[in-house]
């Protein structure tokens, strides 16, 4: 019981501190020249903090047991205090070993996927757009995570590849008549080429120097897009085509000789159809890429990326060619960023250079760092949090940045290495350890 | 049988002459130690052999099963006018220039460890050894992505070999621990195991016993001797612990001021007056 009492006391303290903080921020009102005060809002906020801390304090030991690999057996064995506890724990461990955990993980994944697939049919158009944007940031995060998180190459110009993908779709449509489906792989490839192009001159650079050069590269791409008016349309931007459903358009009145989606299926025209479709395509691409990255991490190439992050000289001493490994990381990350760009252009229907400022690079980098460098799950989670949280906080308008800042500070205190600590892949025959 | 022969190796850093006309040979299946006072150029020799420095001149030949190979050529030396002809020679030099580098030397069969341990600290012990075995896997990315049978078999073999080495180096309890969390002695052993996982014909150990206590040093000495006697590895060693050197070496090369001052069996070197002078200083006039 002492554990629960401790959590309770801890929560009370936290709530008290929260009250002290929130009172001047939200409780004091300036009414003309008079200062009035109110207690309801600060009290409510402090109450919320209390509940959250209490909940966290009670749930955390559970998670701790879970993560320590003991699963249920650890919990149960710790509550047994007798002679038989060891055998009971052993029995439970045998029953709820790694297979149980993987079962939980797989069913959790399926459940998540079901929710994600059914989401667009439940959401309005506004939230659907938010969800699409969130998934685009998931893609960007995954791409940058390869470069920064796995290969350890600090890239501040990642937005360049995003822009290459987006403009690949828009300009490909304008100049070459490419549609979304052709542009999707081509945009990725084009971005990969740009990744290699950037990679070559920076092969010998590390850390800060690399960051500066990549930052410059990002700006160069943006400036070229902005100033090469004849080709890119300059600041006026270019319109981008929308994906077709196996050749069927999503417009109310299709071009002559074409059939529209709603006509083919004989349903009333709905403006939201196209967004649902785009979301679902984006979702499947994201899931596919998450799978690919998961596999890559267990392959020689992925392991070489991580080894390169840890120690380049040691890599060379083992016969790993750092040039190839670095370029492949740049290319792979850039390709994923480019695919994200294609989706961005398609979802907006229009691109112009203002969407590709340094702010975007910083945001994507924040996603990767918040997620825990190198962790795929963490990156996905952070991308969702960073894009969706501000939308929820719109109601708080004035306190939005405050809450966001608080969340950041909290993270740095409790999770300085990111939301999710990258889990090392373990190998079946390694269970002897 | 000579495995490695170093001839007239010169290494200049600007005006500084780090090595001058260093020559020695390493016999197959033997332990050869490089010793000498601090700053004698031992690690420089190592870095030249393993390709981390590009020697100014000289030759380092490694005899492989399929013939001799000149390690300096693998580094992609700067092109000169003499290289332009004949075309085949030019092509070889250009290829070496494009794809050359110290990793090629490792692929030729020379593995090394470092004076300051360089492990992949965030990766587990097993993963450290798997990284070293990257050449065991095919280069087909698709096979890995879909998890083809061939890929899984290669992975299984790599894991099995890694576990075998971990057991050999008494690290079997640390399989899934990040390498950075291991104790110092364990890290030293893991680094040697990792070098061995590249399947080398020559293993260069840079002060493997540095920072180890007497028991651990004795264990390392035993291990090195076993590697040579049972696994047919050839070892080139830098070490300051003279007891270790004298105990396991077949041949000793003594360096001082970038020059070889003595060569021979441990017993010979121990009584060589020039070696004593280099280590202890001389009375009266110098030896040279």
């Amino acid at each position: 019981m002492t554990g629960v009492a401790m959590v309770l006391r801890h929560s009370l303290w936290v709530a008290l501190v929260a009250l002290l903080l929130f009172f001047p921020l939200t409780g004091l009102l300036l009414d003309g020249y008079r200062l009035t005060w109110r207690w309801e809002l600060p009290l409510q906020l402090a109450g919320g903090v209390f509940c959250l801390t209490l909940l966290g304090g009670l749930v955390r030991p559970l998670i701790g047991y879970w993560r320590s690999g003991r699963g249920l057996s650890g919990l149960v064995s710790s509550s047994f205090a007798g002679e038989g506890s060891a055998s009971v724990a052993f029995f439970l461990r045998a029953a709820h070993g790694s297979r149980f955990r993987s079962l939980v993980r797989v069913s959790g994944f399926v459940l998540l996927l079901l929710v994600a697939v059914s989401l667009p049919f439940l959401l309005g158009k506004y939230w659907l757009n938010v969800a699409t944007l969130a998934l685009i940031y998931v893609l960007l995060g995954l791409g940058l995570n390869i470069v920064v998180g796995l290969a350890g190459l600090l890239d501040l110009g990642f937005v360049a590849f995003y822009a290459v993908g987006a403009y690949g779709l828009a300009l490909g449509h304008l100049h070459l008549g490419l549609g979304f489906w052709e542009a999707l792989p081509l945009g990725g490839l084009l971005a990969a080429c740009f990744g290699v192009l950037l990679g070559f001159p920076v092969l010998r650079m590390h850390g800060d120097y690399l960051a500066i050069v990549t930052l410059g590269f990002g700006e160069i791409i943006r400036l070229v897009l902005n100033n090469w008016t004849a080709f890119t349309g300059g600041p006026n931007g270019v319109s981008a085509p929308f994906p077709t459903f196996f050749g069927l358009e999503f417009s109310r009145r299709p071009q002559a000789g074409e059939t529209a989606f709603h006509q083919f299926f004989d349903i009333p025209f709905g403006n939201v159809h196209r967004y649902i479709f785009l979301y679902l395509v984006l979702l499947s691409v994201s899931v596919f890429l998450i799978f690919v990255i998961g596999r890559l991490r267990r392959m020689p190439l992925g392991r070489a990326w991580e080894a390169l992050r840890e120690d380049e000289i040691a890599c060379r001493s083992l016969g790993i060619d750092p040039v190839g490994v670095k370029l492949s990381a740049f290319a792979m990350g850039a390709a994923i960023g480019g695919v994200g760009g294609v989706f961005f252009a398609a979802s907006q229907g229009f691109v112009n250079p203002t969407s590709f400022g340094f702010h975007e690079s910083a945001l994507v980098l924040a996603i990767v760092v918040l997620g825990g460098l190198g962790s795929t799950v963490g990156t996905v989670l952070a991308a969702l949090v960073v894009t969706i949280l501000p939308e929820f906080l719109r109601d708080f308008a004035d306190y939005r940045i405050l809450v966001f800042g608080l969340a950041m500070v909290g993270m740095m205190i409790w999770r300085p290495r990111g939301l999710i600590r990258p889990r090392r892949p373990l190998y079946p025959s390694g269970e002897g350890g | 049988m000579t495995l490695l022969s170093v001839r007239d190796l010169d290494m200049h850093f600007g005006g500084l002459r780090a090595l001058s006309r260093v020559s020695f040979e390493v016999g197959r299946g033997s332990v050869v130690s490089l010793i000498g006072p601090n700053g004698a150029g031992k690690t420089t020799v190592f870095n030249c052999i393993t390709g981390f420095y590009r020697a100014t001149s000289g030759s380092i030949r490694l005899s492989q099963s399929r013939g001799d190979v000149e390690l300096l050529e693998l580094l992609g030396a700067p092109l000169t006018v003499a290289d332009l002809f004949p075309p085949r020679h030019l092509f070889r030099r250009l290829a070496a220039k494009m794809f050359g580098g110290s990793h090629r030397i490792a692929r030729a069969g020379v593995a090394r460890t470092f004076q300051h341990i360089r492990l992949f600290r965030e990766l587990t012990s097993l993963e450290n050894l798997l990284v070293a075995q990257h050449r065991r896997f095919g280069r087909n990315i698709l096979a890995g992505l879909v998890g083809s049978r061939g890929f899984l078999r290669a992975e299984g073999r790599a894991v099995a070999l890694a576990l075998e080495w971990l057991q050999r180096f008494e690290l079997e309890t640390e399989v899934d621990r990040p390498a950075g969390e291991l104790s110092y002695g364990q890290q030293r052993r893991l680094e040697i195991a990792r070098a061995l996982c590249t399947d080398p014909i020559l293993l260069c150990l840079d002060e493997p016993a540095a920072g180890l206590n007497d028991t651990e040093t004795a264990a390392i000495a035993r291990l090195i001797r076993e590697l040579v006697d049972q696994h047919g590895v050839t070892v080139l060693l830098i070490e300051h612990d003279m007891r270790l050197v004298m105990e396991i070496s077949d041949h000793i090369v003594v360096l001082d001021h970038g020059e070889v001052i003595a060569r021979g069996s441990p017993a010979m070197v121990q009584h060589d007056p020039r070696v004593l002078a280099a280590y202890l200083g001389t009375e009266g006039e110098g030896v040279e």
Side-chain angles (χ1 to χ4, degrees):
Chain A
M1 278 324 277
T2 50
V4 176
M6 247 171 68
V7 170
L8 202 66
R9 217 175 61 186
H10 178 69
S11 309
L12 274 174
W13 270 112
V14 172
L16 190 67
V17 173
L19 191 64
L20 285 178
L21 275 175
F22 279 126
F23 177 66
L25 285 172
T26 64
L28 291 176
L29 294 173
L30 201 60
D31 181 18
Y33 290 106
R34 274 183 326 118
L35 202 61
T36 58
W37 50 283
R38 55 174 181 186
W39 279 106
E40 303 84 39
L41 190 57
L43 273 177
Q44 281 167 9
L45 286 170
V49 168
F50 174 74
C51 292
L52 277 178
T53 323
L54 196 62
L55 198 71
L58 293 179
V59 167
R60 212 165 61 174
L62 287 175
I63 297 174
Y65 275 115
W66 200 260
R67 289 181 64 99
S68 66
R70 282 181 284 174
L72 284 178
S73 58
L75 256 188
V76 175
S77 70
S78 70
S79 52
F80 278 89
E83 277 286 296
S85 72
S87 61
V88 170
F90 179 79
F91 170 73
L92 282 172
R93 193 172 310 159
H96 302 282
S98 58
R99 201 188 290 172
F100 179 70
R101 284 183 66 183
S102 73
L103 191 72
V104 166
R105 204 177 299 164
V106 167
S107 51
F109 183 72
V110 170
L111 201 70
L112 261 179
L113 204 63
L114 279 179
V115 170
V117 168
S118 56
L119 212 55
F121 302 101
L122 308 172
L123 293 175
K125 195 180 155 209
Y126 176 76
W127 281 102
L128 186 56
N129 269 336
V130 172
T132 307
L133 199 65
L135 276 181
I136 290 173
Y137 277 101
V138 167
L139 279 187
L140 293 180
L142 288 174
L144 190 62
N145 190 37
I146 289 181
V147 183
V148 179
L150 294 182
L153 306 160
L154 184 52
D155 184 352
L156 288 184
F158 193 66
V159 73
F161 309 123
Y162 185 39
V164 166
Y167 267 89
L169 174 63
L171 294 178
H173 183 63
L174 182 69
H175 295 291
L176 304 172
L178 294 179
F180 173 83
W181 292 108
E182 295 92 7
L184 193 57
L186 285 181
L189 270 180
L190 191 66
C193 293
F194 271 83
V196 173
L197 205 68
L198 167 67
F200 257 115
V202 300
L203 278 173
R204 288 160 186 275
M205 296 182 180
H206 296 273
D208 310 352
Y209 306 99
L210 181 65
I212 295 294
V213 174
T214 51
L215 178 66
F217 184 74
E219 285 300 290
I220 288 171
I221 296 278
R222 190 178 63 82
L223 288 174
V224 166
L225 291 176
N226 209 10
N227 292 305
W228 194 4
T229 326
F231 184 64
T232 66
N236 297 328
V238 207
S239 68
F242 209 80
T244 54
F245 182 81
F246 297 106
L248 301 175
E249 287 181 32
F250 281 96
S251 52
R252 190 186 291 274
R253 288 184 203 79
Q255 292 166 344
E258 302 273 344
T259 324
F261 179 75
H262 66 285
Q263 292 168 335
F264 187 82
F265 287 98
D266 204 21
I267 46 172
F269 174 75
N271 199 17
V272 81
H273 288 161
R274 60 166 71 180
Y275 294 105
I276 292 179
F277 178 59
L278 187 72
Y279 172 88
L280 290 177
V281 173
L282 180 52
L283 183 68
S284 35
V285 168
S286 311
V287 170
F288 172 70
L289 284 174
I290 288 172
F291 165 77
V292 167
I293 292 169
R295 285 291 323 172
L296 274 174
R297 289 194 62 185
R298 307 195 65 159
M299 282 165 56
L301 183 63
R303 271 198 295 266
W305 287 340
E306 292 199 74
L308 193 74
R309 174 192 68 202
E310 298 295 315
D311 198 322
E312 186 177 335
I313 289 180
C315 276
R316 277 161 53 193
S317 82
L318 298 175
I320 294 172
D321 180 7
V323 173
V325 174
K326 271 188 194 179
L327 289 183
S328 68
F330 267 120
M332 185 77 195
I336 296 178
V339 169
V342 172
F343 275 106
F344 175 74
S347 73
Q348 304 290 313
F350 169 80
V351 284
N352 81 348
T354 49
S355 313
F356 307 107
F358 172 65
H359 175 78
E360 295 292 313
S361 290
L363 191 63
V364 180
L365 190 63
I367 286 172
V368 173
V369 174
L370 286 183
L373 288 167
S375 162
T376 306
V377 182
T379 305
V380 173
L381 212 62
L384 296 180
V385 167
V386 165
T387 46
I388 296 178
L389 195 64
E391 296 297 331
F392 274 113
L393 295 177
R394 250 176 224 291
D395 299 337
F396 294 80
D398 297 344
Y399 307 114
R400 191 150 77 130
I401 302 298
L402 175 75
V403 176
F404 201 72
L406 277 179
M408 290 278 185
V409 171
M411 261 223 32
M412 287 301 119
I413 293 172
W414 289 300
R415 284 246 168 254
R417 301 206 47 192
L419 287 174
I420 308 269
R421 187 159 183 194
R423 194 195 292 272
R424 303 273 12 127
L426 305 180
Y427 291 85
S429 28
E431 272 174 1
Chain B
M1 262 277 270
T2 315
L3 179 70
L4 179 85
S5 80
V6 178
R7 290 251 166 283
D8 295 333
L9 195 65
D10 273 14
M11 181 77 216
H12 301 178
F13 295 106
L16 180 74
R17 210 172 176 154
L19 299 177
S20 65
R21 301 178 65 81
V22 169
S23 302
F24 62 91
E25 288 181 348
V26 177
R28 194 182 294 274
S30 65
V31 178
V32 175
S33 295
L34 278 174
I35 62 170
N38 286 326
K42 305 180 294 286
T43 299
T44 309
V45 171
F46 248 50
N47 283 340
C48 286
I49 292 173
T50 53
F52 283 85
Y53 291 159
R54 177 175 294 151
T56 314
S57 67
S59 123
I60 305 172
R61 294 195 81 80
L62 182 73
S63 75
Q64 290 174 320
S65 47
R66 49 175 194 270
D68 282 15
V69 56
E70 171 62 55
L71 294 185
L72 290 183
E73 243 172 48
L74 294 180
L75 283 180
L79 289 177
T80 57
V81 184
D83 290 328
L84 291 176
F85 194 82
R88 217 176 109 224
H89 182 65
L90 176 68
F91 184 74
R92 233 177 60 202
R93 291 302 297 269
L94 277 178
K97 185 92 190 130
M98 290 258 318
F99 306 106
S102 47
H103 62 277
R104 290 280 307 273
I105 298 211
R107 289 183 192 181
V110 180
R112 73 169 294 179
T113 65
F114 295 88
Q115 192 173 349
H116 303 287
I117 300 172
R118 287 182 174 275
L119 286 169
F120 308 124
R121 302 177 61 87
E122 298 260 315
L123 274 57
T124 63
S125 307
L126 185 69
E127 281 181 293
N128 266 278
L129 302 195
L130 289 182
V131 170
Q133 297 184 60
H134 60 106
R135 302 192 65 208
R136 213 168 281 274
F137 295 86
R139 297 193 73 78
N140 191 341
I141 297 223
L142 207 64
L145 282 182
V146 299
S148 76
R149 193 177 297 170
F151 177 83
L152 292 180
R153 209 180 304 128
E155 187 182 47
R157 272 203 306 271
V159 170
L161 185 77
L163 289 173
E164 204 174 295
W165 279 121
L166 285 175
Q167 201 151 28
R168 193 68 206 263
F169 282 78
E170 289 164 26
L171 292 164
E172 67 271 19
T173 52
E174 319 292 338
V175 173
D176 287 333
R177 263 179 83 190
E181 289 178 9
L182 302 182
S183 74
Y184 191 79
Q186 287 172 332
Q187 291 192 13
R188 279 260 176 236
R189 294 205 297 273
L190 183 61
E191 208 191 12
I192 299 176
R194 188 181 65 180
L196 284 167
C197 274
T198 62
D199 201 11
I201 49 179
L202 176 66
L203 179 64
C204 302
L205 302 174
D206 198 346
E207 301 205 18
L212 301 187
N213 63 30
D214 284 353
T215 336
E216 287 171 321
T217 304
I220 283 273
R222 209 169 44 242
L223 259 173
I224 294 174
R225 206 56 244 188
E226 276 174 18
L227 288 178
V228 174
D229 296 340
Q230 293 168 20
H231 295 270
V233 184
T234 307
V235 174
L236 182 63
L237 181 76
I238 294 181
E239 185 49 65
H240 277 298
D241 188 322
M242 280 309 138
R243 202 149 36 125
L244 173 74
V245 170
M246 297 304 162
E247 186 186 324
I248 64 172
S249 303
D250 298 310
H251 189 85
I252 293 179
V253 178
V254 190
L255 283 172
D256 192 24
H257 296 299
E259 288 176 45
V260 178
I261 56 169
R263 269 180 297 200
S265 67
M268 274 164 63
V269 166
Q270 254 169 326
H271 299 106
D272 191 311
R274 302 211 305 169
V275 177
L276 293 177
Y279 268 96
L280 303 173
T282 48
E283 291 170 36
E285 75 262 18
V287 171
E288 255 180 35

